Amino acid sequence: MTFRRFTRLRWTLPSRHALLTSAALLCASTADAQMTLQGPGDSSLTLGLWLRASYVNAEEVRPAGGSAHDSGFTMDSVRLLSSAKFTRSFGATLTFERPPAKDMQLLDAILRFELAEGLNLWAGRLVPPTDRSNMAGNQFANVWGYPFVSLYPNAFTGRDDGVLLWGNLYADRLLYSVGVFEGKNRGGGLSNASNEPLFAARFAWSFLDPEPGYYGTSTYYGDKEVFTLGTALMSQKDGVGVAGARGDQGLLPLNRGPRANPDASRSRRADAG
């Protein structure tokens, strides 16, 4: 039997307020910068670069005696972001990511419409309403190993193509989001040859400090006092199986809360049932 002992040093960037841009990389001495270009009227363009990297030092102990060392640096994630605002109520998001040892891939492609206060319409490739881990994403989780359950339905890294209505109401204490998406197993010979859609919804209520916005974070590290209860639902007819042996797919419900002592670092898992 061979035993291996690992030492990992990991570094992640950014925080919610730390977007790096390509131009900032050339001129900034710190890594917590962002660049927003203001246009005429309410228009603007924000560019960014997010990085996650790790260094692993592994020691292998062999049964016959002796040991061997293996170490290496890995760029776990490179994410390029752009967010444009054309008018006060219309904008777009385009994001690319390069996972380890893979090519750059499309992550998000969203058209954003602010129809009214507390009512937003998004269309394109985005994260469907789901559990808190997926709404935070690997960049804002307080654990390094991302819960694989949260990657569903996974057009790429938990994304899917569809339309979403969402908003914050009651002084940002209520988050609601409902959407229709392509879902799983579309195509001839698959279980969803009839192209049944995936329906997804999420509702959350913040009893203490509000958590505005569609996406979230695993922890605020003491910046907020948070007690939030949330639930999510996903359902799709013929979403699993193969042609001739179909099954319906559902995640019922995904809950989060309570979340006291936000300054304490905790590991969280994705629950699906």
Side-chain angles (χ1 to χ4, degrees):
M1 181 180 294
T2 299
F3 298 91
R4 303 195 78 188
R5 183 176 64 191
F6 294 92
T7 301
R8 292 181 173 90
L9 298 176
R10 289 161 172 169
W11 174 70
T12 186
L13 180 83
S15 68
R16 278 286 182 204
H17 308 289
L19 286 177
L20 254 180
T21 67
S22 300
L25 280 174
L26 298 177
C27 62
S29 59
T30 60
D32 54 349
Q34 74 174 31
M35 176 174 287
T36 298
L37 305 175
Q38 295 294 336
D42 295 314
S43 64
S44 64
L45 174 64
T46 300
L47 302 174
L49 171 64
W50 294 356
L51 304 174
R52 297 176 80 235
S54 62
Y55 174 81
V56 177
N57 181 29
E59 179 183 0
E60 184 178 285
V61 180
R62 297 168 179 170
S67 61
H69 291 269
D70 185 21
S71 61
F73 177 85
T74 301
M75 188 64 69
D76 298 277
S77 173
V78 178
R79 189 171 293 187
L80 303 175
L81 306 98
S82 62
S83 179
K85 191 172 184 181
F86 304 110
T87 67
R88 185 184 297 253
S89 58
F90 174 51
T93 298
L94 190 63
T95 307
F96 296 88
E97 178 165 348
R98 186 186 68 80
K102 294 184 180 180
D103 295 331
M104 193 73 72
Q105 301 182 49
L106 176 65
L107 188 65
D108 299 296
I110 310 171
L111 293 177
R112 311 188 314 267
F113 302 89
E114 185 177 343
L115 304 179
E117 185 176 358
L119 180 60
N120 302 276
L121 172 65
W122 287 4
R125 174 163 294 186
L126 63 144
V127 179
T130 178
D131 71 328
R132 190 178 187 101
S133 293
N134 202 25
M135 302 312 296
N138 58 7
Q139 299 284 344
F140 301 100
N142 61 344
V143 294
W144 192 265
Y146 191 63
F148 75 92
V149 174
S150 295
L151 297 177
Y152 184 91
N154 201 22
F156 174 56
T157 315
R159 270 67 174 174
D160 200 2
D161 300 329
V163 179
L164 170 75
L165 279 175
W166 75 274
N168 298 115
L169 300 173
Y170 302 107
D172 292 336
R173 295 192 180 278
L174 173 66
L175 166 66
Y176 73 91
S177 53
V178 292
V180 182
F181 299 86
E182 285 194 354
K184 299 284 287 185
N185 289 359
R186 285 175 173 250
L190 301 177
S191 64
N192 192 19
S194 58
N195 295 334
E196 296 289 345
L198 169 73
F199 298 96
R202 174 176 171 79
F203 301 91
W205 181 269
S206 300
F207 290 90
L208 297 179
D209 289 345
E211 300 183 87
Y214 177 63
Y215 300 104
T217 183
S218 292
T219 180
Y220 294 93
Y221 297 105
D223 289 341
K224 287 188 177 185
E225 291 291 332
V226 178
F227 183 91
T228 297
L229 296 179
T231 186
L233 167 68
M234 282 185 173
S235 180
Q236 180 184 0
K237 183 180 179 180
D238 298 337
V240 295
V242 295
R246 303 180 178 90
D248 299 340
Q249 177 68 34
L251 300 179
L252 303 171
L254 302 161
N255 299 302
R256 283 294 179 270
R259 302 182 65 245
N261 299 324
D263 55 329
S265 179
R266 299 174 299 279
S267 296
R268 307 193 67 81
R269 63 186 178 90
D271 302 312

